[in-house]
Amino acid sequence: MARGRFILLEGCDRAGKSTQCAMLVKALQERGHSVELCKFPERTTTIGQMIHAYLTNSKELDDKAIHLLFSANRWEAMQAMKRKLEQGTHLVVDRYAYSGVAFSTAKGLDLKWCMNPDKGLVRPDLTLFLDLPTAEAERRGGFGEERYEKRELQEKVREVFLRLKAKEWVVVDARKSIEAMHQEILNEAEQKIREGEQAKEDALLEDMFEDIC
Ligand code: DGP
């Protein structure tokens, strides 16, 4: 049996990641696949609750300290994610280490320093970057109350994301309709799953950022 594929959706705030993740999970399940949704930050754990307090401005933390907490929040999910992938379940993941590096680098931390704690995480098989110009993101109901929902920071975040573009990335134009984006994302995901079913050498890729650092 082929291992599951790790399908990541990344992008700036308001690009439509959560909607597209939910639609992708549903469509793949309807096609008979075993698939689960993961979301980062995962706010229910002890570390996740600290991150939530920071994002909602009820707690102040040093930029490096919060960066390491976001990374720890991914590491604490890693064993369960690996188990599911090895059992043949596909994972649709809403944000991951690219968000970690993009947000902290946009705040002024060093890019390589930011990559280091996430080095060695499982690497996605497919990263769909939902790209939305910041002015358009702002028009979508305006940014909310959370710490990072500010135009200037979001612009920097988008720039860093585009610098991180790795070989498994597909850039999706998030100005398109929800349904058009869904079709594009579903096609890419199904193609990746088919490739996995035909692959001979198929170990999990546990080398996130190893080639860059
Ligand atoms: P979300 O739950 O997807 O709306 O994400 C909450 C906010 O946290 C959003 O502004 C993006 C930011 N974020 C997500 N992951 C990370 C990370 O690893 N590091 C930092 N600094 N920010 C992150």
Side-chain angles (χ1 to χ4, degrees):
M1 185 192 61
R3 68 166 174 83
R5 298 296 111 176
F6 179 161
I7 299 161
L8 168 64
L9 272 72
E10 277 284 14
C12 296
D13 293 340
R14 299 256 179 268
K17 287 178 304 303
S18 301
T19 304
Q20 292 296 331
C21 280
M23 290 173 84
L24 179 60
V25 168
K26 184 165 178 281
L28 291 175
Q29 281 171 344
E30 283 168 1
R31 283 159 179 74
H33 294 290
S34 167
V35 50
E36 283 186 27
L37 176 68
C38 302
K39 179 170 169 46
F40 292 106
E42 165 51 80
R43 300 189 194 213
T44 60
T45 64
T46 306
I47 294 170
Q49 284 165 14
M50 289 167 78
I51 294 172
H52 178 71
Y54 174 81
L55 287 171
T56 52
N57 296 308
S58 65
K59 186 174 177 62
E60 291 306 314
L61 276 167
D62 174 81
D63 285 344
K64 287 185 175 165
I66 185 67
H67 180 80
L68 295 173
L69 286 179
F70 272 108
S71 176
N73 187 235
R74 290 184 278 277
W75 278 109
E76 67 180 343
M78 213 38 37
Q79 291 307 324
M81 286 174 69
K82 274 161 63 175
R83 212 175 315 115
K84 285 176 187 161
L85 291 167
E86 278 159 358
Q87 287 167 353
T89 297
H90 306 298
L91 297 181
V92 171
V93 181
D94 185 344
R95 288 194 191 279
Y96 195 55
Y98 295 115
S99 277
V101 175
F103 279 84
S104 293
T105 305
K107 284 158 74 182
L109 299 187
D110 176 71
L111 182 83
K112 286 206 167 164
W113 186 92
C114 289
M115 284 179 176
N116 251 319
D118 284 319
K119 226 168 139 173
L121 284 172
V122 175
R123 181 195 289 264
D125 295 296
L126 172 64
T127 297
L128 295 146
F129 178 71
L130 276 48
D131 188 28
L132 189 68
T134 312
E136 176 64 28
E138 227 178 1
R139 275 197 290 277
R140 293 186 172 183
F143 292 128
E145 297 294 309
E146 283 204 340
R147 190 179 287 263
Y148 294 145
E149 295 182 324
K150 298 182 182 75
R151 184 186 183 141
E152 207 179 303
L153 181 75
Q154 293 283 333
E155 249 158 30
K156 285 191 195 146
V157 169
R158 181 170 178 240
E159 279 169 30
V160 186
F161 263 131
L162 293 170
R163 276 165 64 193
L164 294 172
K165 200 168 156 191
K167 58 177 186 276
E168 88 283 357
W169 277 41
V170 172
V171 177
V172 177
D173 183 350
R175 290 171 301 185
K176 290 201 278 198
S177 72
I178 290 175
E179 193 48 45
M181 267 166 78
H182 171 61
Q183 280 311 321
E184 185 177 347
I185 288 169
L186 179 58
N187 288 344
E188 294 288 349
E190 285 195 296
Q191 189 185 323
K192 194 51 73 176
I193 289 170
R194 275 195 300 276
E195 280 171 24
E197 285 163 355
Q198 288 154 12
K200 290 199 181 79
E201 295 276 322
D202 201 23
L204 278 179
L205 313 170
E206 291 181 65
D207 64 343
M208 188 76 200
F209 293 144
E210 298 272 11
D211 49 344
I212 311 176
C213 291

